[in-house]
Amino acid sequence: MYDFAIIGAGMAGASLAAEIVRSGSGARVLLLEGEDQPGYHTTGRSAAFWSETYGGPGVVPLSLASGDYLQEHGFLHRRGALHMVRYGDEADLHGFIESYAGTGAKLEKVGRSHLESVVPALREEWVGAVHEPACADIDVAGLHQHYLAIATRGGAKLQCRAHLVSAGHSADGWQLTCGNGQSYQARVLVNAAGAWADNIATLAGAKPLDIRPYKRTVVQLALEQAPPPDLPLILDMAGSFYFKPDNGRLWLSPHDEDLCDPCDAAADELAVAQAIDRFQRVVDWPIARVERRWAGLRSFAPDRLPVYGFATDIPDFFWFAGQGGFGIQTAPAAASLGASILLGETENPAFTRGLARASYSPDRFSGG
């Protein structure tokens, strides 16, 4: 009998398992992963940046609470970001900064001269930006392995190729059966299944929360001349692209967000063509070739905030889902908060003391 069976061993499940085992509670933890290896889906397909503004103002507290942990453990490398606007849209700069007022995010407005100093061959229509100095590259694979190592060294059992096919609840806890024929028992079932979170809820008899997956595409380009290695992350404030350098190549996204079913997402040719077209409208950087393309799923609850907490409609079912594309950069705070709730602690751990549990609780969807 396990105390906690966590469905999904991506960043969400791995970080939560790690925080449970190092709490000193002695809880027995099971990580069930349906794929051959953990992190195959969203975790392994991240654009790999940490941004104070990613996810919107409601996510900033989680990002800021996570930043020190990520920095202290060597998972961040400072890059900076520029949220750019075209001529005629300069008023959007002020509105963007105002939307984050009071959150603690550090933002400053810059003009065309600053853009020209850091973005070579920038096209004339781009006239201003909001500079986000704290934006950083994040070592996603390193962070994921960090949490998996803590979890497994602390006694958590990781079982791959263990796709959950049935989950029955009784007074004795959960009886779980996987597609490989293995069965397990657990006191609490934790739903950290990412894009499949609503499917797991239905399988377990819980009411789905309308957590929906959306596909995002990333393309790796080889340019005729390598991009500046210290180029900031460049984003369109209107949300039509972002790009950054990576080891002499350029990672580019059309910032697409296409609703889809949970799946092994793949980039389609239209999204790739849109990405390249939008990029060529920003800078005059000749493209040598497209080297790679991929897509990942970002899953959101209806209000675009993550969901951490026990279900209101079924005993011993815990939501740890709806983390969009920001689940990696908020992993330290989210896992610490989630583990404290799971373990019955009434106060948040020290570095998450300022986080309001109610903001992320599933109770908000039931009026509870």
Side-chain angles (χ1 to χ4, degrees):
M1 170 68 77
Y2 290 91
D3 293 293
F4 305 107
I6 301 174
I7 309 303
M11 190 67 77
S15 60
L16 185 60
E19 290 301 329
I20 293 170
V21 301
R22 68 178 173 186
S23 68
S25 65
R28 298 190 65 206
V29 179
L30 172 68
L31 267 170
L32 292 178
E33 170 57 52
E35 302 295 344
D36 292 347
Q37 62 185 28
Y40 174 75
H41 290 286
T42 300
T43 297
R45 308 180 194 197
S46 167
F49 60 81
W50 182 92
S51 162
E52 291 180 337
T53 62
Y54 194 22
V59 177
V60 173
L62 290 163
S63 299
L64 294 183
S66 299
D68 286 346
Y69 183 96
L70 296 171
Q71 188 68 50
E72 290 166 6
H73 288 80
F75 297 118
L76 295 183
H77 177 71
R78 185 68 62 89
R79 176 167 297 283
L82 290 169
H83 303 261
M84 301 199 309
V85 297
R86 295 177 173 87
Y87 176 79
D89 294 331
E90 294 91 336
D92 293 345
L93 299 173
H94 178 73
F96 184 85
I97 292 174
E98 281 297 304
S99 69
Y100 289 91
T103 64
K106 298 178 177 63
L107 305 170
E108 58 182 344
K109 187 165 62 174
V110 298
R112 171 74 191 188
S113 61
H114 179 82
L115 298 184
E116 289 177 343
S117 71
V118 295
V119 187
L122 180 67
R123 299 198 184 276
E124 292 183 358
E125 64 190 275
W126 299 95
V127 295
V130 169
H131 179 220
E132 184 183 336
C135 183
D137 294 337
I138 183 168
D139 180 0
V140 177
L143 181 63
H144 188 218
Q145 289 302 314
H146 167 78
Y147 280 128
L148 284 174
I150 293 171
T152 53
R153 282 200 307 263
K157 177 180 175 63
L158 171 63
Q159 184 67 56
C160 294
R161 304 183 188 90
H163 175 69
L164 188 68
V165 295
S166 71
H169 186 263
S170 69
D172 297 325
W174 291 92
Q175 182 70 36
L176 309 173
T177 304
C178 297
N180 59 10
Q182 295 293 313
S183 294
Y184 306 92
Q185 288 182 300
R187 183 174 59 82
V188 176
L189 180 62
V190 179
N191 185 0
W196 285 264
D198 267 10
N199 300 57
I200 293 297
T202 300
L203 188 69
K207 181 181 178 181
L209 296 182
D210 198 25
I211 294 176
R212 299 186 179 190
Y214 296 81
K215 186 166 74 170
R216 172 144 303 171
T217 305
V218 181
V219 182
Q220 179 174 296
L221 301 177
L223 306 177
E224 290 188 5
Q225 182 175 346
D230 57 350
L231 182 77
L233 172 68
I234 305 296
L235 308 99
D236 176 17
M237 190 173 289
S240 68
F241 66 80
Y242 58 78
F243 59 85
K244 70 168 191 172
D246 182 78
N247 293 318
R249 300 297 190 258
L250 191 88
W251 282 14
L252 165 69
S253 173
H255 211 274
D256 49 336
E257 189 170 281
D258 299 324
L259 181 65
C260 65
D261 293 328
C263 64
D264 185 356
D268 60 61
E269 289 302 321
L270 177 59
V272 172
Q274 287 175 332
I276 292 172
D277 177 67
R278 294 170 186 178
F279 172 71
Q280 292 176 325
R281 295 171 186 266
V282 182
V283 288
D284 184 14
W285 296 357
I287 297 171
R289 61 189 175 276
V290 175
E291 291 189 333
R292 293 174 56 209
R293 64 198 73 191
W294 67 93
L297 300 181
R298 303 156 69 246
S299 50
F300 294 97
D303 61 2
R304 298 249 159 174
L305 291 178
V307 186
Y308 312 135
F310 284 97
T312 58
D313 60 324
I314 189 168
D316 300 324
F317 183 89
F318 190 86
W319 288 92
F320 197 70
Q323 300 191 78
F326 50 80
I328 292 167
Q329 72 170 46
T330 60
S336 178
L337 182 65
S340 69
I341 299 171
L342 271 171
L343 295 169
E345 298 171 357
T346 56
E347 291 189 1
N348 297 352
F351 81 102
T352 60
R353 193 63 49 80
L355 299 179
R357 295 184 178 189
S359 299
Y360 313 115
S361 170
D363 291 359
R364 68 189 194 268
F365 298 114
S366 63

